[in-house]
């Protein structure tokens, strides 16, 4: 870290290091990543609960910042891991969310009906079918699949976020995709990877 660097130039690791003696330095971590974490949570449990869980994610991160691996410049995978842990206490809500999405096809991470565009209407049947399958996946498969497809994390980042081996990430993802393909055979054009098959 350069002594003359501004807060905007500092990595997440730099800011977390600073925050151990200057707690206010943690603020930019929230500014940088809160919207992304909120979108991820909203898609899984709805916007109202996502508000609370986003706040809880960052409170947990702040309290546990001394355990953060400061060699990691990007804290987002770590934050996703905290959010995923918090979601485990809300599995019923998450399953209800996916069932509602399967019925309506409306993305809960969007602000409201004014955000609906024709392309979303066209994709609604795909969304409904995908959400129905997500509601039936086990929690381990759903966590890995959403972190790869929605959060765009690499396999090693998912492994760090969930504190599991990379081999387990691959195995759960393979199983989830197999179940999705079987259930969604009527939608052969549906991309189950979201273009994020990187190691």
């Amino acid at each position: 870290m350069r002594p003359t660097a501004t807060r905007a130039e500092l990595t997440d690791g730099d800011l977390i290091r600073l925050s151990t003696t200057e707690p206010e330095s943690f603020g930019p971590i929230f500014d940088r990543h809160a919207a992304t974490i909120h979108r991820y949570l909203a898609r899984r449990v709805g916007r109202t609960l996502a508000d609370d869980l986003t706040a809880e994610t960052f409170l947990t991160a702040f309290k546990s910042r001394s355990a953060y691996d400061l060699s990691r410049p990007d804290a987002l995978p770590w934050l996703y891991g905290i959010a995923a842990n918090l979601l485990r206490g809300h599995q019923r809500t998450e399953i209800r969310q996916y069932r509602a999405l399967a019925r309506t096809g409306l993305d809960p991470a969007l602000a409201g009906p004014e955000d609906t565009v024709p392309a979303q209407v066209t994709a609604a049947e795909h969304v409904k079918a995908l959400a129905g399958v997500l509601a039936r996946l086990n929690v381990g498969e759903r966590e890995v699949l959403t972190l790869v497809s929605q959060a765009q994390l690499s396999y090693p980042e998912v492994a760090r976020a969930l504190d599991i081996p990379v081999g387990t990430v691959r195995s759960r993802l393979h199983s989830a995709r197999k179940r999705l393909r079987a259930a969604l055979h009527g939608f052969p054009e549906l991309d189950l990877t979201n273009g994020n098959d990187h190691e």
Side-chain angles (χ1 to χ4, degrees), residues 44-46 49 89-98:
R44 295 187 66 179
V45 293
L49 183 53
H90 299 277
Q91 290 177 37
R92 288 182 183 174
T93 302
E94 181 180 11
I95 290 169
R96 281 196 303 272
Q97 179 74 13
Y98 282 126

Side-chain angles (χ1 to χ4, degrees), residues 25-139:
S25 297
F26 196 84
I29 300 294
F30 180 88
D31 296 339
R32 290 174 182 181
H33 302 302
T36 301
I37 293 295
H38 187 274
R39 276 192 301 274
Y40 170 71
L41 290 166
R43 285 195 169 99
R44 295 187 66 179
V45 293
R47 293 177 67 222
T48 302
L49 183 53
D51 292 346
D52 293 338
L53 289 178
T54 299
E56 195 173 345
T57 295
F58 283 90
L59 179 60
T60 301
F62 180 77
K63 288 178 177 177
S64 62
R65 68 194 187 282
S66 62
Y68 182 75
D69 180 353
L70 296 173
S71 69
R72 306 253 179 226
D74 183 5
L76 194 54
W78 176 61
L79 294 168
Y80 275 123
I82 294 169
N85 283 333
L86 293 173
L87 279 168
R88 289 180 189 142
H90 299 277
Q91 290 177 37
R92 288 182 183 174
T93 302
E94 181 180 11
I95 290 169
R96 281 196 303 272
Q97 179 74 13
Y98 282 126
R99 287 178 179 158
L101 184 57
R103 286 191 305 274
T104 66
L106 298 176
D107 188 339
L110 297 178
E114 68 276 6
D115 293 324
T116 302
V117 295
Q120 289 172 322
V121 174
T122 303
E125 289 307 311
H126 291 169
V127 170
K128 289 178 186 179
L130 182 59
V133 179
L134 286 171
R136 294 189 299 272
L137 291 178
N138 69 50
V139 65

